Every structure is written in structure tokens, then in C-alpha cells.
Amino acid sequence: MKEILEIMENNPRIGTREIATMIGITEAQVASKIKQLEKKGIIRKYKTVIDWEKAGEEYVYAIIEIKVTLRSRTGYDAIAERIAKFPEVRSVRLISGGYDLSLTVRGRSMKDVAFFVAEKIATLEQVQGTVTHFVLRTYKEDGDVLFEKERSERLAVSP
Amino acid sequence: MSYSRKSAQNALLYPREVMSEKFVAETVRQIPPSGIRKFFDLVLEMDGVISLGVGEPDFVTPWHIREACIYSLEKGVTSYTSNYGLLELRELISNCYKKDHRVNYDPKSDVLVTTGVSEAADLAFRAMIDPGDEVIVPEPCYVSYKPSVSLAGGKPIPVPTYQENEFRVTAEQIRKSITKKTKALVLSYPNNPTGAVMRRKDLEEIADVVTENDLVVISDEVYGKLTYDGAHTCFSSISGMRERSIILNGFSKSHAMTGLRLGYAVGSEPLIAAMTKIHQYAMLCAPVTAQMGGIEALKNGDGEMQKMVREYDRRRRLVVSGLNKMGLDCFEPMGAFYAFPSIKSTGLTSEEFAERLLKEQKVAVVPGNVFGECGEGYLRCSYATSREQLIEALSRIEAFLDSL
């Protein structure tokens, strides 16, 4: 199982036949194992990593730190779940340190993001305060380096 | 006076190159040019070639190792080291042999850090060979042993190995090649280009022949960490062989550090001392930046190395099964990162096959005969290339076979 996941992690499009050869089981076994992994939610979904900027689409990202006052009987989960429902919000994390929640928000412009935070997040009852950090450039995300990849200049033929 | 006039006349009669050629030593002239060179030149002229001809990892040196090299430069660690290499590095190397193979090498006298394994091999030959001594070299093998033996004044005696015997040299074959002049035996397993490995039993049988005939063994184990079915057996871990062998190893393959040129030799004190004598005059010491990287690699490099080995194993299965499926009989390599398929069924020679494959389908491989006469009829395909490239290369090879 772990081997299949390792192989698929960076390239879900690799065929079951290749996986089968690489780990020495049959293609049918690979297919059924992948089904199981999907069913159990271990493989949550297959995504495409897109460089939208290169595609000519402009997006603005911001990291929002939020301080929360907890209401009686509902914890962080409740407020986090509520915030997570906004499609503008790309990620929600509970963090340690000076703030409680950290969000990533995506919008079409800085104004867009600023208004979203002011109108939709800051106004929530439990939210005590927010700090917005606009992202100027992303260098690495989810283990993928986004700037020019390193290329080693190997000789084409060597002993 | 008359002499200088004569040479001036010569300069007019002959183009400059011809003039200078006479200065090249006879021993060097006798060495044939490397067969790999020709392919290298051919590939350079072409675009869009997928190369399975490469004898080095496609991974870049792990970042933590590069970082250690950079940091050492920042700190100004740029001076000579001991001829033997940094003591810390030798201690780490010595620990590896204790831990992995239960062989004791004193870091102070039994370990020599060299500029790549190639230097270590050259030193070993030069340190042990007297003019006319014979050195048994099982083939196919890495291209530099035979010339290095010749340059050291020795006579290489090639012994062929065969697919039927999984490209292992046998004790019997070695015994038959021994003459009064035989001094040394070269072993290079896991093997470049075949991917063959030796079992402990095979090595024990060879050890008997070595003892009976009072030979010394130079065992190049640079691919030792890249074995896919059980752990590698170090030759000096065979009973009685520690005093009769030099083990060569390095960081190029296991830690993807080819260009940093870092290798080493371990052996009993008198042999290492003899090699160090040559090393101190020829090289002084291995580059200190590389040595600093080597320390980091041995301290913290196991995780990254295991990851690379697992990935090579997957590619190995992909390539071997792909080649076999398209009808090229391929022996299952258990070490290194090469597949060595037979192309005898096509009726082409290794060179014809490789040259046409390159021109017609733009896939570069190395013809097997480059690694010794018995490599004729085979190709070396390196799988140190990304999976996507391997899959594409396999389909091009298949298309080439279909066109024959």
C-alpha cells in the first residue's frame, strides 16, 4: 500500500501497469488496491497543480491570522468549519503562538481580498481581530519548488 | 648547432601535430581510445535524444550535503588536508565497515581518501604491480581497469563472464587463468555494466583460489549500496581476505556525488601506506570541499540514500520487464543501475544496434563490447533516468525493433 502511495504521490497519472511492474504484483491487484485507498479516503482526490499566473490569470493570495474568543460549549472546530465554507478561503489551520487560526484566502484583487476579510471574517462574532498579510511571491508550495528547477548538466554518455 | 637546424627543418616539413606526436610515450600510444567517446560525439550532434547511456545518478547531490560543502567554504575550509584525508571522514568510513561488514580498519592507517574511485584504482595498481605482473580482470567491466593496469606496467588478463552464469566470474575460471606471473585479481561487483552481484558462497570459493596462489584482490565496490535483493557482501569480510585485498568505494553512486570526485580505499596498513606514497606525490589530498560533503553524507545521508535506492529498484523492474516483453532477453540485474539486454536475436552487432537506435529513434545506449569482448551482443541501458523518460525510451526501442 505504502509503495503505491509513494509512487502515485507525485504522478497520479502513472498507469496501473507500470505500478504493477515496479512493485512486482499484478495489474488487477494494483487497481483493486487503489480502489480501496480511494474508498477509505486515504487517497482523497487527484489534483492538477496549475501555474495560473503563467496562464495569464491574476490571483491575489493573503495569509490571514485570526484571534478568536471561544463561545461556551463550541470549540475552535465550530468557527473553523464555518470559515472553511467560504470558497475564497483556500486553507484553514489551527495554530499555536500569538494567533489561533491561520487562513489562506484567494481573490481577484487586493481590494477583493481586503473586503472579503472585513465583511465576512472580521464580522463573525467569535473573531476578535485579524491581521492580513498579502503574498508577494510563492517560492515553494506543497513540496514543489516553483522557481526555475535545478538541472544538472549530465554528459549524455559516460562510463 | 646542427641539431637545432635539423629540428627547424622538421618543423617546416611536418604539420605541428605530427611533430608533437612523437613525444607521446609508447605505453600511452598502445592504449586504444575509449569506445564510449565515439557515441558521446554522435549524441552531441543530435537534439531530442533520450539517453540511457549515462553512468551516473540523475539525482542531484542531496541538499544537506551540498549545504555542508557550501558552509565549509563560507567558514574558509579551503586548505590541504592530511594525505590520508580528514580524520573525521576516515573514522566515519571505518565505522561503516565495522557496522555493515564487521571488518576492522584503523582510521589512522588503513583508510585512504582519494579523488574518486578511479584514482584509488589507479593507485592500487601502481602500488602493487611490478613490470610484467599479470592482473586478472573479469569482463564485461568498467572501462578503466585494463588501461590502468597497462599504465602501471602490468598485463591485464581478461576473463569473460556469461549470461548463463549471471555474469559472475567463477573460481574455476580464475584458477585456469593463473600463470607464474599472476599477481592480482580485480573484482567489481555489483558490476557496471551488467548489474551482476556475487553471493557469499561465490566469493568464498574465489577466496580459496586467491589464498592457494598467493594473490591480492582489488575489489571495486562503489555500487555496493545499490543492491536490490539482500545486502552487499564486502570481499574483505570473507575469512582471510582482509590482508589480501584493497576495497575501493566512494560517494558518487550512493550519494549522487559524481562531480565532487570523492572515493576511498580501505585495506591493511602496508598496502594503504604504499598507495598513500603515490597519492601524496600525485594528488596530495582529495579536495577538502568534497571531503566535508562526505562527512555530512556519512553522518546524515542514509535516509536520502534509501529513497534513491528504492526509486532505482522501481525503475529497474520497469526497464527489465519492458525489455523482456519486447523480446530482448534481459538478465535480471541485482545491483548498480544498469540493465544489460542481449540483442543477439536481432542479428545486429552491439555497435550497429546502438548506432541505428540512436539515429532512427534517438535513444542513446552504450554498446556492450565497449566493456570487453564478451559484451558483444549486449547493450548497456542505464536506468538512472526519470520514469517518464524510461517509459518513452522503451516505446522507442520497441518501435525500432518493429522496424527491423
Side-chain angles (χ1 to χ4, degrees):
Chain A
M1 291 286 223
K2 192 182 153 215
E3 275 238 84
I4 295 182
L5 293 172
E6 270 181 20
I7 292 171
M8 289 180 75
E9 187 172 12
N10 279 310
N11 181 9
R13 283 167 45 126
I14 189 157
T16 46
R17 201 175 62 156
E18 275 83 21
I19 297 177
T21 323
M22 281 192 271
I23 63 178
I25 60 176
T26 69
E27 212 181 322
Q29 282 171 315
V30 173
S32 97
K33 285 209 165 134
I34 291 175
K35 272 259 156 56
Q36 274 178 47
L37 289 166
E38 288 168 354
K39 221 175 182 176
K40 283 190 194 155
I42 293 173
I43 294 179
R44 296 181 58 115
K45 72 183 214 173
Y46 304 97
K47 281 178 65 157
T48 310
V49 181
I50 298 167
D51 189 336
W52 280 113
E53 207 175 315
K54 230 179 208 165
E57 298 289 325
E58 198 158 320
Y59 284 106
V60 174
Y61 290 85
I63 294 159
I64 321 286
E65 290 173 331
I66 305 180
K67 215 164 173 54
V68 170
T69 5
L70 291 180
R71 261 194 312 207
S72 53
R73 279 186 295 155
T74 57
Y76 288 113
D77 292 0
I79 175 80
E81 237 181 278
R82 200 158 162 197
I83 291 173
K85 290 211 161 74
F86 292 106
E88 291 89 342
V89 175
R90 309 285 294 175
S91 70
V92 185
R93 293 184 176 91
L94 181 63
I95 54 170
S96 66
Y99 288 84
D100 302 310
L101 293 177
S102 163
L103 323 181
T104 321
V105 171
R106 183 170 86 170
R108 282 295 187 169
S109 64
M110 278 168 97
K111 208 166 129 191
D112 212 19
V113 173
F115 274 106
F116 170 75
V117 175
E119 286 172 5
K120 300 291 196 315
I121 304 292
T123 51
L124 291 169
E125 204 183 324
Q126 298 97 312
V127 173
Q128 218 179 49
T130 65
V131 180
T132 303
H133 308 272
F134 281 103
V135 174
L136 303 181
R137 179 179 271 175
T138 304
Y139 295 105
K140 187 174 182 181
E141 190 157 78
D142 265 346
D144 281 319
V145 172
L146 302 178
F147 45 92
E148 189 81 19
K149 281 218 172 94
E150 292 172 332
R151 264 195 321 172
S152 73
E153 302 267 326
R154 289 198 300 173
L155 302 173
V157 179
S158 59
Chain B
M1 190 63 184
S2 71
Y3 177 76
S4 71
R5 197 185 308 136
K6 197 173 163 200
S7 53
Q9 272 173 355
N10 272 347
L12 290 174
L13 286 172
Y14 302 111
R16 217 179 287 161
E17 299 77 36
V18 178
M19 258 294 284
S20 324
E21 207 180 286
K22 68 180 179 207
F23 299 126
V24 176
E26 187 54 33
T27 28
V28 177
R29 261 187 255 192
Q30 290 299 318
I31 293 171
S34 164
I36 284 185
R37 185 76 222 170
K38 182 174 147 198
F39 266 84
F40 180 70
D41 293 340
L42 267 177
V43 174
L44 274 189
E45 294 163 11
M46 297 173 70
D47 270 342
V49 173
I50 298 184
S51 182
L52 309 185
V54 187
E56 64 176 322
D58 63 317
F59 300 104
V60 183
T61 311
W63 174 244
H64 70 105
I65 297 173
R66 283 186 275 161
E67 217 266 337
C69 295
I70 295 166
Y71 186 51
S72 77
L73 285 170
E74 283 178 353
K75 279 192 303 183
V77 184
T78 54
S79 40
Y80 293 133
T81 70
S82 144
N83 294 138
Y84 285 93
L86 294 166
L87 184 60
E88 188 183 1
L89 178 56
R90 285 181 276 144
E91 282 168 349
L92 288 162
I93 292 167
S94 162
N95 286 342
C96 283
Y97 279 81
K98 206 175 293 167
K99 194 175 100 241
D100 296 349
H101 305 293
R102 292 198 216 112
V103 189
N104 286 315
Y105 288 110
D106 184 344
K108 291 212 166 70
S109 56
D110 305 344
V111 182
L112 170 64
V113 178
T114 58
T115 307
V117 183
S118 313
E119 193 220 345
D122 185 46
L123 294 177
F125 293 131
R126 287 205 274 163
M128 292 186 275
I129 293 170
D130 280 314
D133 282 349
E134 291 182 358
V135 178
I136 298 176
V137 183
E139 287 186 331
C141 70
Y142 182 59
V143 295
S144 82
Y145 306 135
K146 282 204 295 187
S148 291
V149 169
S150 302
L151 286 170
K155 188 177 170 204
I157 306 293
V159 173
T161 61
Y162 304 103
Q163 186 175 357
E164 297 76 59
N165 200 32
E166 300 183 307
F167 292 107
R168 294 184 177 114
V169 69
T170 65
E172 207 37 55
Q173 281 181 297
I174 295 169
R175 190 171 277 128
K176 276 189 195 145
S177 319
I178 287 173
T179 69
K180 265 189 246 157
K181 289 183 177 163
T182 310
K183 173 83 175 272
L185 162 69
V186 175
L187 291 176
S188 58
Y189 298 92
N191 180 267
N192 170 10
T194 63
V197 297
M198 284 291 209
R199 296 162 298 196
R200 179 165 278 274
K201 173 173 83 71
D202 308 311
L203 294 175
E204 280 167 356
E205 287 167 14
I206 289 172
D208 288 341
V209 182
V210 167
T211 314
E212 279 163 32
N213 295 281
D214 202 20
L215 305 182
V216 61
V217 172
I218 293 141
S219 185
D220 179 351
E221 305 184 4
V222 70
Y223 290 98
K225 291 286 180 193
L226 307 186
T227 55
Y228 307 109
D229 188 30
H232 166 69
T233 306
C234 173
F235 186 71
S236 61
S237 71
I238 307 292
S239 160
M241 288 303 109
R242 186 191 173 284
E243 314 306 317
R244 289 195 169 275
S245 61
I246 288 285
I247 309 297
L248 311 179
N249 208 332
F251 295 80
S252 294
K253 320 294 172 172
S254 52
H255 295 90
M257 289 169 65
T258 43
L260 289 166
R261 308 309 303 124
L262 190 64
Y264 54 88
V266 292
S268 61
E269 202 242 312
L271 295 180
I272 291 295
M275 287 169 66
T276 307
K277 218 189 254 181
I278 307 169
H279 172 77
Q280 73 177 336
Y281 293 125
M283 194 66 73
L284 218 160
C285 69
V288 65
T289 310
Q291 293 192 53
M292 295 302 284
I295 290 175
E296 173 63 21
L298 291 184
K299 272 188 178 162
N300 302 310
D302 267 14
E304 290 273 341
M305 184 179 70
Q306 296 307 338
K307 242 197 263 170
M308 290 192 268
V309 174
R310 279 210 301 280
E311 181 57 27
Y312 284 137
D313 189 16
R314 289 173 195 140
R315 297 174 186 179
R316 175 180 75 102
R317 291 158 189 260
L318 208 61
V319 168
V320 173
S321 123
L323 291 168
N324 274 316
K325 268 186 201 144
M326 63 182 82
L328 293 181
D329 178 21
C330 186
F331 151 77
E332 189 178 359
M334 287 302 182
F337 40 59
Y338 308 104
F340 203 61
S342 162
I343 48 138
K344 289 174 184 165
S345 59
T346 64
L348 299 175
T349 67
S350 295
E351 293 218 2
E352 284 166 355
F353 191 107
E355 208 169 320
R356 282 185 57 185
L357 179 64
L358 179 61
K359 285 184 177 151
E360 292 169 31
Q361 292 290 338
K362 297 193 173 182
V363 176
V365 295
V366 181
N369 60 311
V370 163
F371 306 95
E373 242 170 71
C374 62
E376 178 52 51
Y378 293 88
L379 300 174
R380 189 191 74 174
C381 305
S382 161
Y383 49 83
T385 293
S386 76
R387 281 183 225 157
E388 291 72 21
Q389 293 259 298
L390 287 174
I391 291 169
E392 172 63 20
L394 286 171
S395 79
R396 291 190 192 182
I397 295 174
E398 190 161 23
F400 174 70
L401 287 174
D402 289 344
S403 74
L404 287 178

